[in-house]
């Protein structure tokens, strides 16, 4: 494998890296493995790089097992495991993102070269270089330093960090549900976007953000009046353009329940 570490951002003094890769000694065991990606964020760029690399390796294995050849998955699994999993998760899979399931079933019929061709101009592309020495390298000597640094940086930037401590009494491992309103998440699957995402797309001069009259496919972004003043009006998100950009790559944004696409592909009658 030739790993390709990628720079995402260093906002808040946190190194956020991705890792993808290229098979250089033949094709992978399963075509979907070429779409594997690892991601990590850490105050110390060396730790972020290590985490991204190991998650990339895990992503290759996980994707092959969850969405690869049904017979191979069954051969690697305990007897009856796949059938039990399909039976117990069937309802959830059918009621979740049907677009993700349909797209992954389509991927089952594609070879590695086809999927790699879809990824070449975006996920696997290498356009610019950023010196690793320029990334944040904040030491985290203790087990809780990473969380403390991230919390302090985000709070200093004006975000409210909301959490519920769900740790059972006497448990040595902390269990916390935490959200940061306004931080925002991935946009291209469901069009979830707010002021922060709009501002970033505007800085990139992206065609996804427009101003003017809303219409079908050009949806108003839900932001506050104060945000509209900062942005210069009510922003509109071009859902139609987003679908064009995503194209056949929807499984990069949303994956269906494990094993369902592979089982469906195996059950299809041959031409």
């Amino acid at each position: 494998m030739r790993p390709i570490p990628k720079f995402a951002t260093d906002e808040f003094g946190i190194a956020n890296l991705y890792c993808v890769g290229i098979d250089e000694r033949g094709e992978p065991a399963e075509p979907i493995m070429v779409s594997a990606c690892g991601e990590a964020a850490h105050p110390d760029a060396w730790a972020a790089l290590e985490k991204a690399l190991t998650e990339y390796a895990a992503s290759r294995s996980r994707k092959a097992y969850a969405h690869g050849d049904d017979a191979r998955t069954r051969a690697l699994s305990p007897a009856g495991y796949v059938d039990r999993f399909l039976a117990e998760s069937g309802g959830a899979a059918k009621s979740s993102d049907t677009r993700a399931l349909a797209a992954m079933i389509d991927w089952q019929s594609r070879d590695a070269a086809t999927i790699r061709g879809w990824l070449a101009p975006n996920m696997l592309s290498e356009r610019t270089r950023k010196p690793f020495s320029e990334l944040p390298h904040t030491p985290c000597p203790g087990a809780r330093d990473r969380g403390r640094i991230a919390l302090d940086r985000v709070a200093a930037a004006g975000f409210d960090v909301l959490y519920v401590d769900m740790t059972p009494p006497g448990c040595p491992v902390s269990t916390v549900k935490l959200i940061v309103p306004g931080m925002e998440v991935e946009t291209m699957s469901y069009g979830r976007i707010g002021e922060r995402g709009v501002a970033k797309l505007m800085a990139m001069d992206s065609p996804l953000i427009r101003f003017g009259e809303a219409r079908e496919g050009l949806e108003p972004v839900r932001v506050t009046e104060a945000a509209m003043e900062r942005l210069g009006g009510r922003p509109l998100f071009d859902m139609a353009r987003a679908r064009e950009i995503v194209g056949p790559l929807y499984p990069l944004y949303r994956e269906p329940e494990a094993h369902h696409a592979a089982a469906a592909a195996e059950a299809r009658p041959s031409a």
Side-chain angles (χ1 to χ4, degrees):
M1 294 301 307
R2 177 170 65 87
I4 307 174
K6 293 194 153 196
F7 172 73
T9 183
D10 56 5
E11 287 184 273
F12 314 112
I14 305 293
N16 190 334
L17 305 178
Y18 292 88
C19 183
V20 295
I22 301 291
D23 295 83
E24 294 194 324
R25 297 185 181 179
E27 297 291 26
E30 296 286 350
I32 194 175
M33 295 170 76
V34 305
S35 69
C37 179
E39 182 183 6
H42 199 284
D44 185 353
W46 283 110
L49 178 60
E50 181 180 17
K51 288 160 62 71
L53 283 165
T54 53
E55 186 174 270
Y56 168 67
S59 176
R60 282 177 62 88
S61 301
R62 182 193 62 77
K63 288 197 172 194
Y65 183 73
H67 307 297
D69 179 74
D70 186 60
R72 190 195 300 266
T73 296
R74 290 174 183 273
L76 292 170
S77 305
Y81 162 77
V82 173
D83 288 328
R84 290 197 305 273
F85 184 93
L86 291 171
E88 293 174 5
S89 64
K94 292 176 182 177
S95 62
S96 61
D97 193 333
T98 56
R99 182 182 174 190
L101 180 60
M104 188 63 81
I105 291 173
D106 177 67
W107 276 31
Q108 297 294 329
S109 65
R110 309 291 183 166
D111 57 20
T114 298
I115 299 176
R116 190 182 297 113
W118 290 338
L119 301 175
N122 40 68
M123 182 171 153
L124 299 179
S125 66
E126 299 177 63
R127 297 189 181 95
T128 60
R129 295 295 176 95
K130 184 175 181 66
F132 191 73
S133 60
E134 293 182 0
L135 299 179
H137 290 275
T138 305
C140 292
R144 295 182 179 272
D145 288 323
R146 179 184 57 179
R148 176 185 54 78
I149 291 170
L151 176 63
D152 290 346
R153 301 276 177 80
V154 169
F159 289 91
D160 291 325
V161 179
L162 310 177
Y163 71 93
V164 177
D165 188 346
M166 305 177 71
T167 308
C171 181
V173 178
S174 297
T175 303
V176 176
K177 177 66 174 180
L178 183 149
I179 62 172
V180 185
M183 186 65 73
E184 302 194 33
V185 293
E186 179 271 313
T187 297
M188 298 297 279
S189 55
Y190 304 143
R192 298 174 297 186
I193 190 170
E195 180 184 2
R196 225 168 146 249
V198 168
K200 289 186 175 184
L201 288 174
M202 289 175 64
M204 298 166 56
D205 197 25
S206 170
L208 290 170
I209 297 299
R210 310 262 289 277
F211 291 88
E213 293 295 324
R215 62 176 186 272
E216 185 176 357
L218 198 59
E219 305 295 337
V221 178
R222 296 181 179 179
V223 293
T224 64
E225 294 290 338
M228 281 192 279
E229 289 184 11
R230 289 188 289 267
L231 295 170
R234 165 74 74 179
L236 306 172
F237 185 74
D238 193 334
M239 290 292 294
R241 178 62 177 147
R243 285 191 289 269
E244 292 176 5
I245 292 173
V246 172
L249 300 181
Y250 194 72
L252 293 180
Y253 301 90
R254 284 286 171 271
E255 292 184 19
E257 186 71 72
H259 310 310
H260 282 262
E266 186 71 16
R268 284 185 301 182
S270 56

